Amino acid sequence: MPRGKCRVCGREAEYWVPWANAWFCRDHYIEYYNRRIKRVWDKYFPNDPGDTLIAVSGGKDSVALLYSVSKILMEKGVRHNVLFIDLGIPGYSDESLKIVKWNAGRLGLNVEVARLEDYGFTLRDIHRLVKTRRIRRPVCSICGMIKRYLMNRYAYEHGYSLVLTGHNLDDMIGFTLASLVSGRIEDLVKLRPYVEGHDRLVARGKPLLFTYGVENKWYVEAIGARIVEAVCPYRTGESSVNTELRDAVLSVDKKHPGLAILMARNTVDKLIPRIRLPGKTLVRCSVCGYPSSSDPCGFCRLREKVSRLLSSKKK
Ligand SMILES: [Zn+2]
Ligand SMILES: [Zn+2]
């Protein structure tokens, strides 16, 4: 396609945005993107969400989240900081933290670090135990559970009332289809841009839920941000039902631009509000005291198992 002119200013454009059916120059792409995130914020988030943590891993999505949301929070005068979760992945965690600090520094924000090591183990231990089949569950799924736990616990202990993550539209489509396939409709309810907190569960937000991964990539490039180039050494790269379903929808989206956005919007605005869950009661984990669907909670069970396996190895 020959390069067009920016829809806003008519200068030579750099970004073709199929779902907007428009070309944008760099400045106006940035403006377009920021406006898109602001619209999601205004529609789904409380005007004053209280002290907010932006969870940033250093990947394109969370870095895009950091810049776009910090701008909104700054304008609203909402106190916010950056949270980095250090899982103790050799060669990867340190590198990622450096990039996160660089970006946060540009915005004048502090980076707070929640360390898995403070709980007596690292993801390196988990990886070893999975490799030797003493833990039978994929590393990435354990890692996801650990991150959710640490994020919430850190935020709660440090008095924050909202944690934001960079889940994007591509993730949203994968999760939605997977929960329809598995019939775990209760999982859909979590796919709202803003989920209220209660008890010791801090409110969670995903402002990029209607934003394609590629939009985030263009945005970080346009604003001159830095992202982690390295790939997590523990990532298996195996395709899951999630990723295959996601890719199928995204390939239809290529022919019908915006289809994925429509699907996500209808899921959030029309489908989820109609889901009535039987009052699922959370219990308090008797080990750590945080709300969970089981007692002990998944994190405490994992922690106990890892410490048992690691100490039996040393003997
Ligand atoms: Zn322009
Ligand atoms: Zn627990």
Side-chain angles (χ1 to χ4, degrees):
M1 197 188 305
R3 195 168 271 221
K5 303 273 180 228
C6 172
R7 176 164 89 184
V8 184
C9 66
R11 280 185 297 166
E12 182 91 347
E14 279 185 54
Y15 298 94
W16 164 246
V17 182
W19 51 91
N21 194 26
W23 283 95
F24 290 106
C25 69
R26 201 179 66 98
D27 290 349
H28 289 119
Y29 175 71
I30 296 171
E31 197 184 275
Y32 163 79
Y33 180 96
N34 283 332
R35 206 171 45 233
R36 238 160 96 60
I37 306 306
K38 177 77 166 42
R39 237 184 263 141
V40 172
W41 189 279
D42 289 344
K43 179 164 179 189
Y44 298 101
F45 286 72
N47 192 40
D48 181 10
D51 290 358
T52 298
L53 264 182
I54 308 172
V56 184
S57 66
K60 66 175 190 333
D61 300 307
S62 62
V63 170
L65 172 78
L66 169 62
Y67 285 86
S68 56
V69 149
S70 174
K71 185 174 150 54
I72 296 172
L73 295 175
M74 210 91 81
E75 284 164 8
K76 289 186 175 291
V78 174
R79 197 176 82 91
H80 58 286
N81 277 315
V82 176
L83 174 67
F84 177 77
I85 296 178
D86 184 348
L87 298 162
I89 303 173
Y92 181 72
S93 295
D94 290 349
E95 205 42 48
S96 304
L97 178 55
K98 264 187 227 157
I99 302 270
V100 172
K101 281 187 173 159
W102 185 88
N103 287 298
R106 248 178 127 196
L107 296 166
L109 297 175
N110 292 326
V111 178
E112 304 188 14
V113 181
R115 287 194 171 79
L116 178 58
E117 206 179 0
D118 294 346
Y119 296 87
F121 64 105
T122 64
L123 211 67
R124 188 186 189 174
D125 298 319
I126 300 284
H127 179 246
R128 250 188 245 141
L129 294 169
V130 169
K131 231 172 68 185
T132 53
R133 302 179 65 82
R134 279 173 294 171
I135 292 182
R136 289 163 186 270
R137 189 177 157 188
V139 182
C140 296
S141 113
I142 300 175
C143 179
M145 183 267 282
I146 292 173
K147 282 194 278 193
R148 282 191 297 275
Y149 181 86
L150 291 184
M151 226 179 267
N152 179 68
R153 182 156 174 176
Y154 186 93
Y156 180 79
E157 283 177 354
H158 293 81
Y160 285 94
S161 27
L162 173 63
V163 185
L164 301 174
T165 56
H167 292 93
N168 65 27
L169 178 61
D170 312 12
D171 301 325
M172 166 75 182
I173 297 295
F175 289 139
T176 305
L177 295 171
S179 69
L180 290 177
V181 171
S182 69
R184 287 167 53 168
I185 304 302
E186 66 274 17
D187 290 354
L188 278 178
V189 177
K190 296 176 208 152
L191 297 179
R192 281 173 294 155
Y194 178 83
V195 178
E196 312 71 20
H198 65 94
D199 189 12
R200 289 187 185 185
L201 291 179
V202 174
R204 294 281 302 271
K206 306 179 190 73
L208 308 189
L209 215 50
F210 305 112
T211 311
Y212 294 92
V214 68
E215 275 182 272
N216 298 335
K217 188 174 148 254
W218 295 337
Y219 182 70
V220 295
E221 178 189 297
I223 59 177
R226 281 174 65 194
I227 58 170
V228 179
E229 301 293 344
V231 178
C232 172
Y234 301 150
R235 218 181 78 163
T236 56
E238 278 167 32
S239 69
S240 61
V241 173
N242 263 23
T243 58
E244 284 176 34
L245 289 170
R246 176 198 69 197
D247 293 347
V249 169
L250 291 177
S251 96
V252 179
D253 186 279
K254 284 217 159 54
K255 269 195 256 166
H256 305 278
L259 175 132
I261 301 177
L262 204 59
M263 182 175 159
R265 275 214 203 113
N266 285 333
T267 302
V268 168
D269 293 340
K270 303 203 171 140
L271 180 59
I272 293 177
R274 286 179 167 73
I275 298 174
R276 292 278 164 269
L277 292 177
K280 202 173 122 195
T281 44
L282 290 177
V283 292
R284 238 168 220 253
C285 169
S286 52
V287 182
C288 68
Y290 281 80
S292 162
S293 52
S294 64
D295 180 27
C297 72
F299 181 83
C300 288
R301 262 181 298 151
L302 176 75
R303 189 181 178 189
E304 191 276 326
K305 186 169 184 184
V306 171
S307 101
R308 185 160 35 82
L309 289 170
L310 290 179
S311 64
S312 72
K313 210 178 70 180
K314 278 179 196 133
K315 273 173 207 157

